Amino acid sequence: RVPSEAIDRERAALLEHWMDLYDWSNVTVWGAGKTGRRLYRSLSRRGKSRIAKFCDIDERMINRGHYTYIDKSDKSQTRTIPIVHFRDAVPPVVACVKRGGLHCGYEANVLSMGWTEGRDFVYFN
């Protein structure tokens, strides 16, 4: 059995390759919940440095204002990342939300932004 952390790291490495390929920096992660934070923790130090902010539709997340990451192996590597409303997000965006189900309005929100998948945003679930 493969540990979920190992799968997360491999998927994060693939995302980092995508960010290198398209020269993405100042990336917004759409989804400040468990999935988005898990993605962030799985990124390399360089990958983490490319994440500028999280965005969400959940007022609780937005009102929290930020996500504080503390590296367990090096406590000096603490980073605070802002959480903003999705309307304040700017590409490039990595979407870490479920399509359909609880977040069934997500697709409509993305369409309202006028973004193009693959250029302005990618799904990462």
Side-chain angles (χ1 to χ4, degrees):
R1 183 165 186 220
V2 179
S4 62
E5 294 83 14
I7 295 170
D8 290 343
R9 280 192 304 274
E10 289 301 315
R11 293 178 69 231
L14 180 63
L15 177 62
E16 289 185 52
H17 176 71
W18 178 276
M19 290 191 289
D20 285 340
L21 190 63
Y22 292 97
D23 196 28
W24 278 12
S25 58
N26 296 317
V27 175
T28 299
V29 174
W30 187 318
K34 184 170 35 171
T35 306
R37 293 189 315 262
R38 192 163 117 186
L39 164 66
Y40 183 82
R41 288 190 305 270
S42 299
L43 293 169
S44 69
R45 203 171 268 174
R46 182 170 179 257
K48 287 180 180 86
S49 72
R50 291 178 162 190
I51 305 301
K53 61 187 155 193
F54 285 89
C55 74
D56 213 292
I57 60 171
D58 184 342
E59 289 298 323
R60 289 181 306 128
M61 294 291 179
I62 297 164
N63 290 336
R64 184 178 296 160
H66 65 275
Y67 165 62
T68 301
Y69 169 77
I70 301 172
D71 188 321
K72 292 179 182 174
S73 62
D74 183 357
K75 302 279 191 232
S76 69
Q77 293 299 316
T78 300
R79 184 158 180 238
T80 301
I81 303 114
I83 302 172
V84 299
H85 193 277
F86 82 88
R87 288 187 196 97
D88 297 321
V90 293
V93 175
V94 176
C96 290
V97 296
K98 292 180 184 176
R99 295 174 84 171
L102 178 63
H103 299 284
C104 59
Y106 172 73
E107 289 86 356
N109 291 334
V110 168
L111 287 173
S112 76
M113 299 300 283
W115 296 337
T116 301
E117 185 174 359
R119 183 190 70 200
D120 301 312
F121 75 100
V122 294
Y123 288 105
F124 190 84
N125 285 347

